[in-house]
Amino acid sequence: MIILTLNCGSSSVKYQVYDWANKDVLGSGVVERVGQSQSDLEYKSKGKDELVAKRPCPTHKEAIAWVMESILDPTYGCITDINQVTAVGHRIVHGGSVFTQSVEITDEVLAQFKKVEPLAPLHNPANIMGVEAARALLPKVTHCAILDTAWHQTMPDTAFMYALPHAWYDKHQVRRYGFHGSSFLYTSKRAALLLGKPANQTNLVICHIGNGASACAVKNGVSVDTSMGMTPLEGLVMGSRSGDIDPAIMPYMAREAGMSIDQLDAALSKESGLLGITGRFTDRRDVEDGVAKGEADCILAQNMEIYRIKKYIGAYAAVVGPELDAIVFTAGVGEFGADIRAGALIGMEHLGIKVDLAKNKLAMTRNAETCISADDSKVKVFVIPTDEEIVMTEDTVAISNGTYKPHTEYRYIFEEASYVNKAREAGLPKDLTKRPGLDKIIAQPKK
């Protein structure tokens, strides 16, 4: 089986082609700046030169067509016939409260995704457009939705409900949903393997720290709380998102500064976080450079991010309880941000968390799962490179052949000790993007 996975962002399409029979990544790429006057494509197949190209992609429809063209390219592509693709996995950011697991996409399922578009106005429309374009180009294959929100559907109502008028929940679906589900699923299963415990007996606090960032409390192998809320805006300090704030700030600024709802929404999502504090940077490397130069705004930004992560680790350690097995860091900053990890963990010895600063400093490679806790730390601390694509791929395979079960009943290939990410073996970059910001950490790791 050849599986194509598509991750359509608001202005991008990330994709990967996977040979399931040989458990091998054949190629991966990204189309960026979709909707702008000129779009960029970067794509690399195993054993071939990288393809870098430009052309206009007014919508995701044109971008998906370009994706298909690249994987079939006689010089750069990884397959020779589009009919070799047997199934397509699509990342869907928001599934509302209807979907508790990955699902085959039918007309009825697609209609449900459209109903919850207002809950993720930046992400779901792009996700849906990608689905429609891919279904049009590949109408005879199975298309599957892998939902960010599905992982968190195990949260109890005490965690997912807000202390708001109940009618808002009944009529408008206002509740906590959580995101980064595929990343949390992957890293929780890998952490269980590293701990030598069954996944359903593993207790963790996972910190997915990238441009978007969230924390998740995992008890007995399932999500019981998470920092992102109804949208990806709540929780940790992020690249350009505010994270937690006093909600009264919004009506205050509307009155004091005459800001509209759309202006407030844009400010919280696109002009806040590290960018808001520094006025310049979303990239943690730029912030680190500023810290090294003694720049007060960068020092404040880094300290605020560290403090918020520390707060959530402490809160979720309390939620998980004394059986806490490990803290896990993942995603671009989680994997490469040694100073941020150290800052968040120092001083938590009273919770049984003791970081080894030398190990932490050395844990700067995307190719290795690393333990950075001290030998006498009661709670382990792991750095685990995430692999959301393999979750999307395997769910798609299982749905296609009728073997799919929820993650609580299903054993993934990456839960096996022998699992090796062949994308890394083959030298395929995990993220081909070169856009400014956090992604530079991934594309060009520090030496």
Side-chain angles (χ1 to χ4, degrees), residues 123-146:
H123 297 90
N124 266 37
N127 297 161
I128 291 165
M129 192 179 298
V131 170
E132 291 176 333
R135 289 179 86 198
L137 290 168
L138 292 164
K140 296 181 181 180
V141 307
T142 303
H143 292 258
C144 303
I146 292 80

Side-chain angles (χ1 to χ4, degrees), residues 186-198:
Y186 178 83
T187 51
S188 69
K189 304 291 188 184
R190 292 301 296 171
L193 180 65
L194 295 175
L195 290 162
K197 296 184 67 173

Side-chain angles (χ1 to χ4, degrees), residues 211 238-242 266-276 282:
N211 193 32
M238 303 177 227
S240 65
R241 296 177 219 165
S242 66
L268 293 178
S269 295
K270 300 177 181 179
E271 302 166 14
S272 297
L274 300 177
L275 179 61
T282 61

